Amino acid sequence: MTIRDTAEEWEIRATETPFTGNKTSVRTDDVVMPDGTVVHRDYQVHPGSVAVLALDDEDRAIVIHQYRHPVRQKLWEIPAGLLDVPGENPLHAAQRELYEEAHVKAEDWRVLTDVYTTPGGCDESVRIFLARGLSEAEGERFEVEHEEADMEITRVPVTELVRGVLAGELHNNCLVVGVLSLVAARGGDGLDGLRPALAPWPARPFDA
């Protein structure tokens, strides 16, 4: 038996969008259940995101310390950001985020994993990349504002990140999934067995 997620869509009798924000919105669908009953399902409509686990030659990952107001914490995260436009090439978006948040570029890009962050209440999908062959980016640093103006950027050994994840000290989903996926890949087919950077992404189709 092959274990894999499959596309499926149940009948929607009615839909409305009670809230539209700057980047996301809230949608209410009346969905027909298998027994014929119709129930309301509220969820956040999200453009999708990319994240980058950027590793240097000393096996350290670039991490960012940033305040996240909904959870009232400063979280250690890997560089990440939204897909700016529908159909945007996720690799280009990831390269942009790595440049803007860390002023770094990378020579080797692979897909670590694709994940739905909270599928019970949001349709966000994140593609997490592995970036290697790091070097300082050219040009001026990206001008930051709001929460990003208070960010701290550093490099942390992968072993220390794994320890922190398993100790319950690190909670950002992209960091957790990215770091543990890296460890799993190394223990499996190796990093060269990861999908190429332009591998298809059914959750957010794009033009290569």
Side-chain angles (χ1 to χ4, degrees):
M1 179 180 178
T2 300
I3 303 297
R4 63 186 306 168
D5 297 334
T6 55
E8 185 171 343
E9 187 168 352
W10 292 359
E11 180 185 354
I12 298 173
R13 292 281 174 85
T15 186
E16 63 176 330
T17 305
F19 171 80
T20 300
N22 184 34
K23 294 292 185 180
T24 66
S25 60
V26 173
R27 182 176 297 164
T28 298
D29 290 340
D30 291 346
V31 185
V32 181
M33 299 289 105
D35 64 0
T37 59
V38 179
V39 300
H40 295 293
R41 288 292 177 262
D42 302 319
Y43 58 99
Q44 182 183 23
V45 179
H46 194 285
S49 307
V50 292
V52 185
L53 184 62
L55 287 183
D56 65 16
D57 293 338
E58 298 178 42
D59 206 39
R60 300 176 303 173
I62 294 176
V63 291
I64 297 166
H65 206 202
Q66 184 171 351
Y67 176 67
R68 294 301 187 181
H69 185 69
V71 295
R72 309 300 199 271
Q73 291 193 36
K74 288 190 74 172
L75 301 180
W76 285 103
E77 308 177 352
I78 57 178
L82 300 176
L83 296 173
D84 283 347
V85 295
E88 182 179 12
N89 186 307
L91 174 60
H92 297 167
Q95 291 169 333
R96 177 186 68 237
E97 293 300 329
L98 186 60
Y99 167 77
E100 291 181 355
E101 296 194 353
H103 201 65
V104 165
K105 62 182 180 179
E107 294 299 323
D108 185 270
W109 290 82
R110 304 287 176 122
V111 175
L112 261 179
T113 190
D114 302 322
V115 60
Y116 290 115
T117 54
T118 50
C122 180
D123 70 352
E124 181 185 14
S125 182
V126 180
R127 168 155 283 188
I128 303 176
F129 289 90
L130 172 66
R132 294 176 292 173
L134 306 184
S135 61
E136 190 78 6
E138 300 173 355
E140 296 183 0
R141 286 186 172 272
F142 182 76
E143 186 174 348
V144 297
E145 59 181 1
H146 306 309
E147 290 94 342
E148 293 180 348
D150 189 52
M151 288 193 314
E152 175 186 352
I153 303 172
T154 190
R155 301 189 182 196
V156 178
V158 170
T159 53
E160 177 61 16
L161 294 176
V162 172
R163 187 208 61 77
V165 168
L166 299 180
E169 298 169 355
L170 300 172
H171 307 92
N172 175 263
N173 58 351
C174 290
L175 184 149
V176 171
V177 173
V179 167
L180 297 186
S181 294
L182 172 69
V183 173
R186 285 174 167 170
D189 295 332
L191 300 186
D192 290 338
L194 292 170
R195 286 174 292 163
L198 294 177
W201 188 13
R204 295 293 185 272
F206 63 94
D207 294 326

